Amino acid sequence: MRISRRTFLKSSGASAAALAAGSVTWLGAHPAKAAPNSPELHVLNRATWGITPADIAEIQARGIEGWLDWQLDFENIADPEVGKYLQRKPILNSDARGIARAIDRDYGSVHEALLWGRVHRAAFSTRQLYERAVEFWTDHFNIPSPDLLMEKILDDRDVIRKHALGNFRDLLLASAMSPAMLIYLDNIFSSAENPNENYARELMELHTLGVDGGYTEQDVKNVARALTGWGIRDGWPGRFYFDLNVHDYGEKSVLGRTFPADRGIEEGLELLDFLALHPSTARHLATKLLKFFVTDEPPQSFIESTAQAYLVAEGDIGATIRHIFTSAEFYQFTGAKYRRPLDIMVASIRVLSPALDVSDPEWILWELNPLGQMPFHWYPPDGYPLAAAPWLNSGALLARWNFAFNMARSDEGWYEGVSFNRDLFIPDALTVGEWVDGAAAQILGAPLAGADRDAVIAFVGDDNGPDFEIWDEWREWKTSSLIGLLLSSPYFQWI
Amino acid sequence: MNRRDVMQSFGLGVIGLSPSLFPRWMPKLAFAPHGQTANRDVLVAIFQRGGMDGLNAVVPFGEGANYYDRRPTIAIAEPGNGDESAIDLNGFFGLHPALRPLKDVWDAGNLTVIHGAGSPDPSRSHFDAMEFMERGTPGVKTTASGWINRHLQTASWQNDSPFRAVGMGALIQSALRGQAATLALQSISDFHLNGRDDQLAGITSTLASLYSVAAPNDLLQREAAQIYATMDILRELDPDNYQPSYGAQYPDTEFGQALRQIAILIKADLGLEVACVDIGGWDTHENQGGANGTYAGLIGEMGQGLAAFHLDLTDYMSGVTVVTMSEFGRRVTENASEGTDHGHGNVMFMLGGGATSQVYADWGGLATDQLDDGDLKVTTDYRDILSEILIKRLGNNAVDRIFPGYTPSMHDLLTAR
């Protein structure tokens, strides 16, 4: 027989019944379960890649504003783990020709150095807010790596990382001159005779003004004309080149502003600066920064104040971010952000370290495919989605659960190159209750409560109640499942 | 319980599934040859992300110089010039040579082509154009749900299967988003929970409790409930040993495998009503190629996949409608990089029992004065096509709620069930 719908409905359990049409009303995105947050934990949740005990100690010692100022002044924070990684992977600091040669020899290992570098730095850098800003701009100026690996390594280093907490005007200019961007969005093919509008359109729609920023199709055409000649040159790998011979020297008008005739690269420079500090750009960047750091649906008042902060600071990114984290409105949105898949992976690594040791990242990187967010593998120019809705689906949630249990079991010899010392991780505990509470505090920032605590205690204690005394072998037996459950719980998904 | 009891329980292996979550309901699956008993088609909606070049998919070779002069390097030759020329459909339009597999579908009377179709909104932004198209409200960004979800909501029947609406991929398509529950599937065979075998039952029930799957209270919990309902059934399907019928061969690509999995779900009669599949890579700004090259590879993959699906589901196709769409077409004139920039009017394909092999086009031609800012005009609103599917094949007349503010025209492209 085949499975008929009727049979399925009659026989299937509670979960299917709950799905029956009519019994599921339209539910808001606001989570029913999220860990409780103090203001300090809320800041750490959004300004780091996952809270560690060291982060808590720092913010307690410095206070919220002191911690922000310390993190924003990132160049004065020693970053030993990242330093070690770059020593092991000198390719990331190589020049264009060196990278190109290495890619010819072994594309896979160069690509892995870049991809794991993204995860590793997010997980182990002491410059956590900086690494969050890097992530934001990586999506904002999205360029996929597979077809442009050499140029992408340069773009990541010399555009995104160089300016992530600097000034947006510099960042925008660096991006416009970046060979990766010039190739990815076709500006290298744009000439006075045959202007290519691809970069011009995304420059205004995605990078600056926003799709509702008030520009017209004619503005797109004119921006494309103004940027003709911005490209690269054969034999000069990884370098910007302005080609006088294909530039359009005619007069152009963009958003009502006239760009007079007979000017070369300088009209493009003026145009980019004009776009960078346009009020529409301020609102567009403010909205996106708030979606990234605060909430999927930022209130208009918060957008306006953030846009204003950006304009007052004349494009200073750190000052804009500081405004966000020091605004009273920021503190209204605790527990309401759904972690993206890379956040889940990195936060898992952070809470499991230092018991976790990754000598070969291949398996962990591979897990980012089912999770849905391999770094630098989003192909359209808009970057991975910031809001929860696109990530909230059953297949992706199941992948999160499985990643959690796979990580927790990585000391069982399943994955070469990853070892996890469970004994280092979960402290000794006399009773099941103490054990579960300690593990939850370590992973979720707070113990579980109510029915959720009861359910976990019942499972790991075999229904013997919270006061049941356990011993080493017992913990040995149930630790990976306990860690997996906490990492896969709703409390770990919402921050 | 003492320590010794616990130690003895370690070696038990698989304990079995908790009866409260998983009733001992284990029907044997057999793929039935004629699975469709419902009076409505399964809809498979394929979205070609990036803006397909419709003028090279279904070539208007009858336009002569209006087509050939504008595409000096990428044009497809007129029919009758060997393997690399267009495959004639009606003396004016012809298929790209890489779409040869679809010619069989055409010859079987099961392929409808609509040219000059698309969304009336003039946006040349991928993201706006896709969202407008998938939400079913061109130009309106505030629409909260997708058109397919509104179809599910407004259908006169409701189907409680977790497989009612499936989106293939890691992210759910915008057309599927909304109040009616949908399922995102990457792989049928991987859709199960990992964990220590000897503790899997306890893990499964504890996680169900943490996510309140018996009574979900937020969107995430609802997805969790969906996982549990789905795992229950997929355990029975054995997709790794699935043999397509009639020797059908799906391309070994994400797109081909997605179609293969949809075929499995259709044959298993699990209540699938709509499925969404994406195929990306159509943003061919440079080095597009003509009869060979990048675009030919992509359109060939699509044609091969659709033809394999059609063949595999030969005995089911009278109850299946496949429709393809893309956010916009591309410029008539190729650019300096031997590619094409964002345009407007495009081609849609429909396959299935209701399809009638014809090329439908309210065709103004490619003469300069007939173009819309250099692009093929949209002369047939894509909502007309979808409305005809909804009414004639899916049994849902509520198109005024699915496409609010729009009154569709019927073009007699499909036979009614």
Side-chain angles (χ1 to χ4, degrees):
Chain A
M1 69 177 259
R2 60 178 196 268
I3 302 175
S4 83
R5 289 181 287 281
R6 192 173 298 274
T7 319
F8 159 68
L9 268 178
K10 276 186 183 156
S11 52
S12 195
S15 52
L19 286 176
S23 74
V24 174
T25 51
W26 185 231
L27 304 157
H30 196 77
K33 292 181 180 181
N37 268 332
S38 66
E40 286 79 8
L41 287 178
H42 182 45
V43 170
L44 290 178
N45 266 328
R46 307 304 180 82
T48 75
W49 283 86
I51 302 176
T52 65
D55 299 321
I56 295 173
E58 284 287 355
I59 204 165
Q60 281 173 347
R62 295 172 185 271
I64 288 174
E65 296 211 16
W67 186 88
L68 286 168
D69 291 334
W70 172 63
Q71 280 286 311
L72 288 170
D73 186 23
F74 68 97
E75 282 161 317
N76 287 317
I77 305 174
D79 206 1
E81 290 302 321
V82 170
K84 279 185 227 163
Y85 185 75
L86 293 174
Q87 270 178 4
R88 288 205 307 275
K89 306 287 178 187
I91 193 68
L92 296 178
N93 276 330
S94 180
D95 64 7
R97 286 178 199 280
I99 298 169
R101 274 196 303 272
I103 289 171
D104 279 347
R105 281 196 305 272
D106 187 353
Y107 174 94
S109 73
V110 176
H111 207 175
E112 188 180 283
L114 176 71
L115 298 177
W116 184 247
R118 169 76 296 236
V119 181
H120 184 91
R121 293 199 238 200
F124 299 114
S125 176
T126 45
R127 303 166 174 182
Q128 281 287 298
L129 181 53
Y130 167 72
E131 289 292 337
R132 291 303 288 170
V134 166
E135 182 69 358
F136 177 81
W137 296 117
T138 297
D139 280 322
H140 188 79
F141 292 103
N142 183 64
I143 301 169
S145 59
D147 296 334
L148 286 169
L149 184 50
M150 181 269 280
E151 291 86 355
K152 177 69 188 185
I153 290 172
L154 299 179
D155 186 274
D156 180 58
R157 182 182 76 203
D158 301 337
V159 179
I160 304 296
R161 291 186 165 275
K162 185 169 181 187
H163 299 290
L165 282 177
N167 193 292
F168 182 72
R169 297 152 78 181
D170 303 328
L171 175 57
L172 185 67
L173 176 62
S175 171
M177 298 174 81
S178 167
M181 188 63 85
L182 291 163
I183 298 169
Y184 172 51
L185 291 181
D186 299 312
N187 211 64
I188 55 167
F189 300 117
S190 192
S191 64
E193 206 171 318
N194 288 100
N196 186 308
E197 296 162 13
N198 202 16
Y199 174 66
R201 180 184 304 282
E202 309 305 3
L203 170 66
M204 292 202 282
E205 175 179 335
L206 299 175
H207 300 167
T208 59
L209 305 169
V211 72
D212 299 318
Y215 60 92
T216 64
E217 282 295 305
Q218 198 55 45
D219 289 329
V220 173
K221 290 185 162 67
N222 287 341
V223 167
R225 290 173 56 215
L227 295 172
T228 46
W230 290 50
I232 57 175
R233 187 182 188 185
D234 284 347
W236 290 22
R239 286 171 67 178
F240 172 77
Y241 177 75
F242 180 72
D243 188 345
L244 292 164
N245 299 318
V246 302
H247 181 67
D248 181 331
Y249 291 92
E251 181 184 288
K252 297 117 191 155
S253 162
V254 177
L255 295 155
R257 173 166 171 155
T258 302
F259 290 76
D262 298 324
R263 293 198 305 164
I265 191 171
E266 61 271 26
E267 75 172 343
L269 299 173
E270 182 191 322
L271 169 72
L272 290 169
D273 226 35
F274 169 62
L275 289 175
L277 292 181
H278 193 281
S280 293
T281 300
R283 266 192 296 277
H284 179 55
L285 294 180
T287 306
K288 285 192 67 182
L289 283 164
L290 291 169
K291 283 188 180 182
F292 182 78
F293 284 114
V294 187
T295 172
D296 291 354
E297 291 178 11
Q300 199 58 37
S301 56
F302 206 176
I303 294 172
E304 292 302 330
S305 77
T306 305
Q308 193 57 33
Y310 170 86
L311 290 173
V312 167
E314 296 181 339
D316 187 280
I317 296 162
T320 310
I321 290 176
R322 195 179 193 287
H323 168 84
I324 291 172
F325 281 100
T326 52
S327 294
E329 281 174 294
F330 170 75
Y331 296 89
Q332 296 168 11
F333 295 96
T334 60
K337 229 8 226 171
Y338 188 62
R339 274 184 165 138
R340 302 200 295 178
L342 186 60
D343 300 20
I344 286 288
M345 171 173 287
V346 174
S348 303
I349 293 171
R350 283 174 67 77
V351 299
L352 297 184
S353 63
L356 185 74
D357 182 66
V358 182
S359 58
D360 177 358
E362 189 179 335
W363 164 72
I364 297 196
L365 267 182
W366 186 252
E367 288 275 301
L368 282 163
N369 277 327
L371 286 168
Q373 200 188 2
M374 182 66 81
F376 315 132
H377 278 63
W378 180 260
Y379 288 89
D382 58 344
Y384 280 109
L386 298 176
W391 303 110
L392 269 174
N393 66 68
S394 45
L397 179 58
L398 179 62
R400 288 171 182 233
W401 295 353
N402 284 335
F403 173 68
F405 286 96
N406 291 344
M407 282 293 276
R409 298 168 77 201
S410 55
D411 70 330
E412 292 174 6
W414 291 91
Y415 311 109
E416 278 181 34
V418 182
S419 69
F420 174 53
N421 187 339
R422 292 184 297 202
D423 295 336
L424 257 180
F425 181 68
I426 296 206
D428 287 347
L430 190 61
T431 67
V432 170
E434 284 172 21
W435 189 40
V436 168
D437 289 346
Q442 190 140 346
I443 292 174
L444 307 173
L448 295 169
D452 289 337
R453 181 174 182 264
D454 297 344
V456 175
I457 285 173
F459 164 62
V460 296
D462 274 9
D463 294 317
N464 287 302
D467 299 328
F468 178 60
E469 293 186 9
I470 51 173
W471 54 95
D472 287 353
E473 289 88 343
W474 189 295
R475 292 194 296 122
E476 183 69 18
W477 177 45
K478 285 280 175 75
T479 296
S480 71
S481 296
L482 173 59
I483 294 170
L485 277 172
L486 294 171
L487 289 177
S488 58
S489 75
Y491 301 100
F492 199 70
Q493 317 303 314
W494 300 104
I495 53 169
Chain B
M1 188 180 215
N2 62 30
R3 179 177 170 143
R4 183 194 306 239
D5 292 338
V6 172
M7 297 308 288
Q8 281 174 346
S9 72
F10 286 170
L12 278 178
V14 180
I15 286 171
L17 300 166
S18 150
S20 61
L21 266 165
F22 295 108
R24 283 306 197 167
W25 163 76
M26 298 281 172
K28 290 275 178 288
L29 255 186
F31 292 127
H34 299 282
Q36 297 301 314
T37 51
N39 62 349
R40 54 185 176 267
D41 281 7
V42 174
L43 173 68
V44 180
I46 292 166
F47 207 108
Q48 298 169 279
R49 309 267 165 199
M52 176 189 66
D53 181 15
L55 290 168
N56 269 18
V58 177
V59 181
F61 61 83
E63 285 283 333
N66 282 339
Y67 170 77
Y68 287 100
D69 286 359
R70 289 192 177 100
R71 298 190 158 208
T73 64
I74 65 167
I76 305 300
E78 286 187 54
N81 292 294
D83 286 350
E84 300 195 346
S85 59
I87 304 161
D88 187 25
L89 294 178
N90 64 359
F92 189 88
F93 291 107
L95 293 173
H96 189 287
L99 284 178
R100 182 156 298 280
L102 284 188
K103 182 61 166 35
D104 297 338
V105 182
W106 171 274
D107 290 340
N110 277 331
L111 177 70
T112 305
V113 176
I114 306 99
H115 221 316
S119 159
D121 189 86
S123 175
R124 291 341 187 230
S125 149
H126 292 294
F127 320 107
D128 272 5
M130 279 193 276
E131 288 298 315
F132 289 154
M133 193 168 252
E134 296 194 77
R135 286 163 204 255
T137 54
V140 180
K141 290 187 182 174
T142 49
T143 311
S145 56
W147 73 272
I148 296 180
N149 202 283
R150 289 196 298 280
H151 154 61
L152 296 168
Q153 293 173 47
T154 55
S156 59
W157 64 93
Q158 292 297 317
N159 164 0
D160 301 324
S161 164
F163 296 93
R164 187 181 186 206
V166 172
M168 299 302 303
L171 300 180
I172 203 84
Q173 288 82 358
S174 289
L176 280 175
R177 284 197 203 132
Q179 193 166 344
T182 54
L183 172 68
L185 259 190
Q186 290 184 77
S187 155
I188 292 176
S189 26
D190 293 341
F191 206 95
H192 54 77
L193 187 59
N194 297 345
R196 281 180 64 131
D197 285 348
D198 64 334
Q199 294 165 26
L200 200 51
I203 289 169
T204 304
S205 61
T206 309
L207 200 54
S209 170
L210 289 171
Y211 276 87
S212 309
V213 298
N217 273 316
D218 65 19
L219 290 173
L220 185 63
Q221 293 179 1
R222 187 181 73 168
E223 298 303 333
Q226 179 98 355
I227 292 174
Y228 278 85
T230 307
M231 283 193 302
D232 243 359
I233 297 174
L234 289 186
R235 195 175 296 113
E236 301 304 304
L237 270 181
D238 193 18
D240 295 337
N241 291 316
Y242 173 68
Q243 291 297 330
S245 307
Y246 303 103
Q249 292 193 332
Y250 291 94
D252 191 16
T253 62
E254 210 173 316
F255 175 70
Q257 293 313 301
L259 290 177
R260 178 179 171 276
Q261 303 200 55
I262 292 168
I264 294 174
L265 296 177
I266 288 174
K267 290 183 180 181
D269 192 19
L270 294 171
L272 179 71
E273 292 185 29
V274 296
C276 284
V277 184
D278 293 335
I279 176 168
W282 301 93
D283 199 16
T284 47
H285 284 282
E286 76 278 332
N287 301 322
Q288 179 174 327
N292 301 298
T294 310
Y295 177 87
L298 202 52
I299 198 89
E301 177 193 342
M302 193 175 97
Q304 200 192 337
L306 291 175
F309 187 73
H310 187 264
L311 181 61
D312 185 14
L313 289 175
T314 299
D315 301 329
Y316 298 79
M317 215 57 200
S318 62
V320 176
T321 294
V322 180
V323 63
T324 71
M325 68 197 84
S326 188
E327 66 264 33
F328 42 60
R330 306 193 80 81
R331 290 263 152 95
V332 180
T333 305
E334 70 177 61
N335 63 23
S337 329
E338 303 184 359
T340 46
D341 293 325
H342 302 181
H344 200 39
N346 209 343
V347 163
M348 292 171 72
F349 293 102
M350 281 195 295
L351 289 79
T356 51
S357 285
Q358 60 170 312
V359 181
Y360 175 82
D362 181 6
W363 189 254
L366 298 181
T368 305
D369 62 350
Q370 289 298 314
L371 298 180
D372 174 354
D373 204 12
D375 302 336
L376 179 64
K377 278 182 186 165
V378 170
T379 48
T380 302
D381 193 305
Y382 79 108
R383 290 170 294 183
D384 291 353
I385 314 298
L386 302 180
S387 296
E388 194 165 331
I389 295 172
L390 287 162
I391 293 168
K392 288 186 176 170
R393 304 301 303 185
L394 301 186
N396 190 347
N397 291 317
V399 291
D400 57 328
R401 292 168 67 192
I402 299 168
F403 299 116
Y406 183 68
T407 307
S409 307
M410 293 295 121
H411 303 297
D412 205 17
L413 304 172
L414 293 167
T415 57
R417 275 187 74 107

